[in-house]
């Protein structure tokens, strides 16, 4: 698992962690110029102003370089991430399913993340149902149906162009009647700036709550790690619109900006549930603060 994460996060490690090690790890005392360079590297890696400030302030406390400084850096990063490293725990109830609503901008990996989760949940013995709430994109229902068939998980869908709220109402009702454990609902990708589409999400949420006032149990925002700083704007807008309860950060394997988790953690404090490092089902991993930082700062290839 750690190996897979290390491989997946390789580009970020090469891109920024190794440069910091080059500056800090040498053994000479940490001077102002070194701190300036580190600050710049962190900002470029999308660690964000707040988290960068916090790390730099901590590094100033003790100017010893070498492994001591690397250890301090590691510990500060873990301290920033620990509060948001809260994995998703499916609560199994007999009377109503655990409902997960997947949201995010276009192409970030919502549908494929659903497929990965469906497989993982099924392997954990949960009975899963998928809801094809993306009725906007022509091939979306078919894409989810294929994933459902592949993993042996039922899919509730309506025709292209149907009201997504209606699809989700049907899905949650069906899961309830069949006493299933989990519903994972797909939604169409939408820009966080499209207010009509954000209104549509609010409606979806309202309609699900009519069946069960506590549903959805999880609003999982999917973010593409290659997006950079725009991830912060996306999170803010989705959170303001419907209340995000968890984040899945995908495509870390294609990004040198794995520092974005630190920016998200420091800015929002929303739990980071998963990180995605590839296309396979096992490439979606539960987020663990120490594991993530250790993979990022690992010296061996
Ligand atoms: N390399 C890599 N690719 C990923 C990862 N997660 C998703 N993808 C790819 O990203 C592409 C888009 O994924 P989708 O799941 O269709 O994205 P979406 O958010 O549902 O897209 P829309 O429905 O169009 O908004 C696919 O080719 C996925 O295989 C990841 O962690 N790593
Ligand atoms: Mg999709």
């Amino acid at each position: 698992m750690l190996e897979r994460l290390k491989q997946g996060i390789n580009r970020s490690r090469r891109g920024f962690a190794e440069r910091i090690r080059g500056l800090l790890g040498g053994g000479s005392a940490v001077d102002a110029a070194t701190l300036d360079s580190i600050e710049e590297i962190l900002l470029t890696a999308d660690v964000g102003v707040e988290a960068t400030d916090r790390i730099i302030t901590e590094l100033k406390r003790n100017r010893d370089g070498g492994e001591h400084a690397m250890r301090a850096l590691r510990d500060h990063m873990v301290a920033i991430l620990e509060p948001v490293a809260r994995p998703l725990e499916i609560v199994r109830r007999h009377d109503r399913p655990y409902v997960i609503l997947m949201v995010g901008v276009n192409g970030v990996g919502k549908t494929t993340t659903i497929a990965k989760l469906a497989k993982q949940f099924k392997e954990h013995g949960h009975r899963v149902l998928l809801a094809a709430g993306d009725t906007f994109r022509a091939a979306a229902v078919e894409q989810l149906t294929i994933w459902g068939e592949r993993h042996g998980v039922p899919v509730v869908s309506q025709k292209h162009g149907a009201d997504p709220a209606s699809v989700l109402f049907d899905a949650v009702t069906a899961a309830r009647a069949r006493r299933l454990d989990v519903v994972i609902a797909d939604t169409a990708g939408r820009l966080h700036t499209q207010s009509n589409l954000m209104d549509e999400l609010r409606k979806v949420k309202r309609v699900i709550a009519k069946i069960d006032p506590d549903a959805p149990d999880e609003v999982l925002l999917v973010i593409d790690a290659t997006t950079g700083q725009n991830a912060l704007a996306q999170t803010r807008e989705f959170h303001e619109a419907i209340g995000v309860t968890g984040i899945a950060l995908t495509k870390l394997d294609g990004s040198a900006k794995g520092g974005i988790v630190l920016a998200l953690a420091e800015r929002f404090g929303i739990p980071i549930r998963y990180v995605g490092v590839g296309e396979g089902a096992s490439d979606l991993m539960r987020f663990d603060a120490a594991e993530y930082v250790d993979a990022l700062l690992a010296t061996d290839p």
Side-chain angles (χ1 to χ4, degrees):
M1 204 69 160
L2 195 58
E3 270 316 304
R4 188 73 202 88
L5 180 61
K6 265 161 64 181
Q7 290 300 322
I9 214 172
N10 207 9
R11 292 181 63 169
S12 294
R13 184 165 75 234
R14 295 243 189 81
F16 85 93
E18 281 182 7
R19 289 173 60 204
I20 294 180
R21 182 177 292 280
L23 288 164
L24 274 185
S28 45
V30 182
D31 59 16
T34 304
L35 286 172
D36 281 349
S37 302
I38 290 171
E39 182 171 21
E40 194 189 317
I41 293 169
L42 291 173
L43 290 173
T44 311
D46 279 327
V47 171
V49 178
E50 295 103 330
T52 298
D53 278 354
R54 193 167 150 192
I55 291 168
I56 295 295
T57 306
E58 294 290 342
L59 286 178
K60 278 181 183 162
R61 282 178 203 272
N62 185 329
R63 301 298 187 102
D64 295 343
E67 276 315 301
H68 167 85
M70 284 307 293
R71 184 77 204 174
L73 175 73
R74 183 241 177 228
D75 291 347
H76 301 324
M77 285 182 162
V78 173
I80 291 169
L81 293 175
E82 204 96 79
V84 298
R86 281 180 279 151
L88 188 67
E89 303 294 353
I90 302 297
V91 187
R92 258 204 239 186
R93 300 167 294 223
H94 297 292
D95 54 339
R96 60 201 169 94
Y98 190 91
V99 180
I100 303 170
L101 183 65
M102 302 291 278
V103 301
V105 306
N106 307 77
V108 288
K110 293 178 293 298
T111 308
T112 45
T113 298
I114 290 173
K116 292 170 184 170
L117 288 176
K119 184 160 188 276
Q120 292 183 10
F121 291 163
K122 210 186 160 197
E123 281 166 3
H124 279 93
H126 298 310
R127 302 205 304 152
V128 183
L129 181 141
L130 304 182
D134 180 355
T135 59
F136 180 75
R137 197 162 54 81
V141 175
E142 197 192 344
Q143 188 190 3
L144 199 70
T145 306
I146 290 169
W147 280 118
E149 279 168 6
R150 198 172 295 172
H151 298 326
V153 169
V155 178
V156 166
S157 64
Q158 290 178 15
K159 63 180 190 310
H160 174 65
D163 182 353
S166 159
V167 177
L168 295 208
F169 188 89
D170 280 0
V172 176
T173 307
R176 216 176 179 165
R178 294 163 68 179
R179 297 191 174 275
L180 303 183
D181 302 311
V182 189
V183 173
I184 318 176
D186 198 11
T187 60
R190 65 202 70 216
L191 283 177
H192 49 296
T193 47
Q194 292 170 308
S195 62
N196 55 328
L197 294 181
M198 296 306 272
D199 286 342
E200 183 186 84
L201 273 189
R202 284 196 199 91
K203 180 182 171 192
V204 163
K205 210 184 156 195
R206 250 189 347 261
V207 168
I208 300 177
K210 279 185 187 157
I211 312 175
D212 173 358
D214 294 327
D217 299 272
E218 173 85 353
V219 176
L220 192 58
L221 174 66
V222 182
I223 291 178
D224 176 338
T226 62
T227 320
Q229 289 294 299
N230 192 257
L232 301 175
Q234 291 171 21
T235 305
R236 188 184 59 238
E237 297 298 328
F238 276 95
H239 194 44
E240 276 175 18
I242 50 166
V244 173
T245 57
I247 291 171
L249 189 69
T250 59
K251 308 191 196 182
L252 269 165
D253 52 313
S255 168
K257 302 201 160 191
I260 193 70
V261 287
L262 292 147
L264 288 166
E266 190 73 6
R267 178 80 59 89
F268 299 103
I270 297 170
I272 296 171
R273 309 291 197 188
Y274 296 97
V275 288
V277 294
E279 314 239 359
S282 58
D283 293 331
L284 184 74
M285 301 169 188
R286 281 169 168 251
F287 178 69
D288 179 285
E291 256 176 38
Y292 187 86
V293 174
D294 289 339
L296 194 61
L297 300 179
T299 43
D300 46 329

